[in-house]
Amino acid sequence: MTTASLSWSAPPRRIAVFRALQLGDLLCTVPALRALRQAAPTAEITLVGLPEARGFVERYSDYLDDLLIFPGMDGMPEQTPRPHELPGFYAAAQARRFDLAIQLHGTGYQVNDIVDLLGAKVVAGFEPPEWTSRGPTFLAWPDDLPEPLRYTALMAHLGIPVRSTELDFPLTLEDQRECDAMARQLNLQPAETILVHPGARLLSRRWPVERFAEVASYLAAQGHTVAVTGSRDERALTQRLLDLVDAPLIDLTGLTSLGGLAALLAQCRLLVCNDTGVSHVAAAVGAPSVVIASGSDVARWAPLDRDLHPVLWHDMPCRPCAFHACPTDHECARGVVVDDVLAQVRRQLERQEISHA
């Protein structure tokens, strides 16, 4: 791989990073953002992203300074596009006089033109392998790498040292206080609790709730404390799980902010979840997990530490899938059986018992 070291008469003062994606996608760029900040400690680094990324920017204030909200475009499904806002968005970006704009969004088929219009002196990022090279600051999309390593590969290509590829999730005193208060209110011992998270933003990414219920029932019957987590919008799903289990589970639906959930994950015994944002949060705080991957590209999105975060999945010709809901019988999800999930759960619990012996 050719390295294209960025050369400057003076260090860049203003850097834009384009990644208009959801939380789990953003978390995968943390190692690259950390490397960028270490290389440019005094630069003002602006994330160009979705409105929902404001909390991400605040939490990762050591790496990011500001958020410039991208209004979306047709063909980018992460938000409802607001094309009438694009002229104002580009004008605001160009007024910032970025020295460098980095495309950390994806292959570049659509977004490279967007990043060009930010008006930066230098543009860097990914480009489709079959395209004519845009220059030394662009890297052919590395399709064979896990998601976090794609972005550290770009940093390395630009001559930016990468000291660590681990995720991190800064926990605040407020996060811990929220977790502690919830634990006191519910008489919950986080270190003895197994979390079951049946939700995912895409329906195609959800393992059947009935199977999550079987896992929760088994764990409860074994004497484990089991808590069900989910957002307020997932109340119908988590309630369905609770109704299916003939045992007392702790219902945490809608009771935690992202930070409070992360603080709980950092202390919990185990998480059982889909391949979704909470899986990346667990990896970032070092929480053991068992992940069921339905529809997604496992090689791309699975946590890097497969011992701490084993991933179960069933191969299908239609993987990876971009459907919100599976148009067939969701064979990729139904191909993962409860017994296999429980085998990984028992393995994780046994490993903990051995390490604590």
Side-chain angles (χ1 to χ4, degrees):
M1 180 183 297
T2 303
T3 298
S5 296
L6 293 171
S7 58
W8 304 91
S9 57
R13 293 182 298 164
R14 292 174 290 271
I15 301 174
V17 175
F18 186 91
R19 189 163 176 87
L21 296 169
Q22 302 292 337
L23 173 66
D25 306 283
L26 289 171
L27 286 172
C28 288
T29 64
V30 164
L33 295 174
R34 183 170 57 236
L36 181 62
R37 171 56 77 199
Q38 290 167 346
T42 62
E44 179 179 297
I45 302 178
T46 297
L47 176 68
V48 183
L50 304 180
E52 296 84 354
R54 191 169 304 281
F56 179 86
V57 171
E58 292 172 356
R59 185 168 299 277
Y60 289 92
S61 59
D62 285 351
Y63 308 154
L64 297 167
D65 298 292
D66 194 14
L67 173 67
L68 178 60
I69 295 175
F70 173 62
M73 289 183 65
D74 290 337
M76 299 179 70
E78 291 75 23
Q79 62 177 326
T80 302
R82 305 184 301 279
H84 61 283
E85 296 182 17
L86 282 171
F89 161 74
Y90 288 125
Q94 293 162 15
R96 297 190 180 212
R97 298 183 179 274
F98 291 116
D99 297 304
L100 172 65
I102 304 178
Q103 189 272 96
L104 284 187
H105 188 90
T107 58
Y109 282 109
Q110 184 174 23
V111 298
N112 281 353
D113 289 342
I114 298 170
V115 178
D116 284 341
L117 291 173
L118 299 180
K121 294 177 183 177
V122 176
V123 178
F126 297 102
E127 59 189 355
E130 67 273 18
W131 284 14
T132 301
S133 176
R134 294 166 57 100
T137 58
F138 278 80
L139 176 66
W141 178 249
D143 200 44
D144 58 338
L145 291 179
E147 190 72 358
L149 301 188
R150 298 175 196 263
Y151 308 106
T152 55
L154 178 60
M155 295 299 110
H157 177 74
L158 297 175
I160 295 172
V162 177
R163 301 172 189 171
S164 170
T165 58
E166 293 182 359
L167 303 185
D168 68 71
F169 190 97
L171 292 172
T172 67
L173 184 59
E174 182 180 346
D175 297 333
Q176 194 57 58
R177 284 173 174 168
E178 176 189 322
C179 178
D180 292 345
M182 180 181 63
R184 286 193 301 270
Q185 180 182 351
L186 299 175
N187 194 27
L188 178 69
Q189 300 295 323
E192 301 301 323
T193 302
I194 297 174
L195 302 180
V196 176
H197 189 97
R201 188 172 60 89
L202 299 180
L203 300 181
S204 62
R205 299 299 186 261
R206 294 180 181 178
W207 196 44
V209 65
E210 296 81 5
R211 299 190 181 186
F212 274 112
E214 289 186 56
V215 171
S217 294
Y218 171 85
L219 291 170
Q222 296 298 308
H224 296 289
T225 300
V226 180
V228 180
T229 61
S231 68
R232 289 186 181 89
D233 293 340
E234 293 171 329
R235 164 53 69 188
L237 177 68
T238 58
Q239 189 60 55
R240 172 64 176 157
L241 192 158
L242 293 163
D243 290 344
L244 287 168
V245 178
D246 188 20
L249 306 183
I250 298 174
D251 181 12
L252 301 181
T253 308
L255 297 184
T256 58
S257 67
L258 175 63
L261 177 59
L264 178 60
L265 281 166
Q267 302 174 65
C268 78
R269 191 165 185 194
L270 181 66
L271 168 71
V272 184
C273 66
N274 295 301
D275 180 12
T276 186
V278 71
S279 170
H280 299 297
V281 176
V285 299
S289 65
V290 173
V291 182
I292 302 103
S294 305
S296 61
D297 182 344
V298 177
R300 178 176 180 180
W301 293 107
L304 298 180
D305 187 340
R306 294 294 185 90
D307 286 329
L308 194 61
H309 313 286
V311 179
L312 295 100
W313 61 291
H314 178 67
D315 197 16
M316 290 291 297
C318 51
R319 295 184 78 123
C321 145
F323 287 101
H324 176 76
C326 178
T328 60
D329 195 34
H330 212 188
E331 295 92 338
C332 65
R334 297 185 182 280
V336 178
V337 298
V338 171
D339 284 348
D340 289 345
V341 173
L342 287 176
Q344 289 297 332
V345 167
R346 287 190 291 267
R347 173 178 167 271
Q348 290 283 59
L349 297 175
E350 289 167 2
R351 288 177 71 232
Q352 294 174 27
E353 291 173 359
I354 293 171
S355 67
H356 293 151

